[in-house]
Amino acid sequence: MFTKILVSIDDSGMSQHVLNEAASLAKATGGSMQLLHVVSPYDEPYVDPLFIQPTVIYSELIAETQEKNLSDWEVFKQSKESWLRSLCEGVTSSGIKAKYNLCTGNASRIICDMARSWDADTIVIGRRGRRGLSELFLGSVSNYVMHHAPCSVLTVQGPSISTTEVSQTEDVEVSN
């Protein structure tokens, strides 16, 4: 029961919260964890229109841009791997058996595929609470995983902001 815990984390502010919840579950069940982070060339800090759709008109410029993009991509992946490794080391130092994987592609599908291939008992994943049009346009990884996972899924809701905190934040922003 919940001894093989796949933890899907991104680099958002709630990743530490998700990791803490998964670590608590692993400690309670004596389980092991597999940290998973998925990167994509379409991720926010990396999107470059020339990389996505090169044209023949500017072939020399495109060749230079593609070389730079490939170099930037490698640096980007290495930074994500270092970040993931440090998270994994933190988990193992607390006495939990853990390893990590950095994959490239569609996060939703890779999470489900990894759960299948690793034979995970549960997936722990964060949820930002997108609804409506933002979910339609931005997608919802947690929603996809809940509907396609081969095992149980624990969704961790991000810390909620009370309406008082929101109105105070808005007051501060208006007064500046």
Side-chain angles (χ1 to χ4, degrees):
M1 172 181 202
F2 303 136
T3 56
K4 293 180 80 174
I5 304 165
L6 179 63
V7 186
S8 172
I9 54 175
D10 57 13
D11 55 1
S12 71
M14 71 179 286
S15 63
Q16 190 61 51
H17 184 58
V18 171
L19 192 59
N20 292 343
E21 292 294 322
S24 294
L25 181 60
K27 283 183 180 180
T29 63
S32 63
M33 293 171 44
Q34 168 105 259
L35 307 182
L36 174 64
H37 181 67
V38 182
V39 293
S40 169
Y42 303 109
D43 284 346
E44 192 68 32
Y46 189 70
V47 174
D48 185 332
L50 289 175
F51 179 73
I52 295 171
Q53 293 190 357
T55 62
V56 220
I57 301 171
Y58 307 104
S59 60
E60 190 171 310
L61 174 63
I62 290 171
E64 289 174 18
T65 303
Q66 286 178 338
E67 284 179 32
K68 182 183 180 321
N69 283 342
L70 289 174
S71 172
D72 290 350
W73 176 246
E74 287 305 314
V75 169
F76 177 72
K77 280 181 20 183
Q78 287 172 1
S79 72
K80 294 298 180 182
E81 186 167 0
S82 294
W83 168 74
L84 195 55
R85 184 182 310 112
S86 70
L87 290 178
C88 190
E89 288 169 356
V91 168
T92 56
S93 70
S94 69
I96 300 169
K97 184 179 174 187
K99 55 185 177 177
Y100 69 91
N101 271 310
L102 178 67
C103 297
T104 303
N106 179 305
S108 305
R109 290 189 181 121
I110 289 176
I111 293 166
C112 292
D113 291 345
M114 180 66 71
R116 257 183 226 92
S117 67
W118 190 53
D119 199 25
D121 297 320
T122 190
I123 299 170
V124 179
I125 188 170
R127 178 181 177 275
R128 292 191 187 116
R130 288 190 181 122
R131 298 193 191 287
L133 289 177
S134 67
E135 182 178 356
L136 176 67
F137 290 116
L138 299 173
S140 172
V141 174
S142 60
N143 187 41
Y144 180 94
V145 170
M146 283 189 298
H147 288 91
H148 296 89
C151 58
S152 297
V153 178
L154 171 62
T155 56
V156 178
Q157 178 67 40
S160 61
I161 299 174
S162 71
T163 54
T164 309
E165 291 173 356
V166 170
S167 65
Q168 289 173 351
T169 305
E170 289 172 355
D171 291 343
V172 171
E173 290 174 1
V174 171
S175 65
N176 285 334

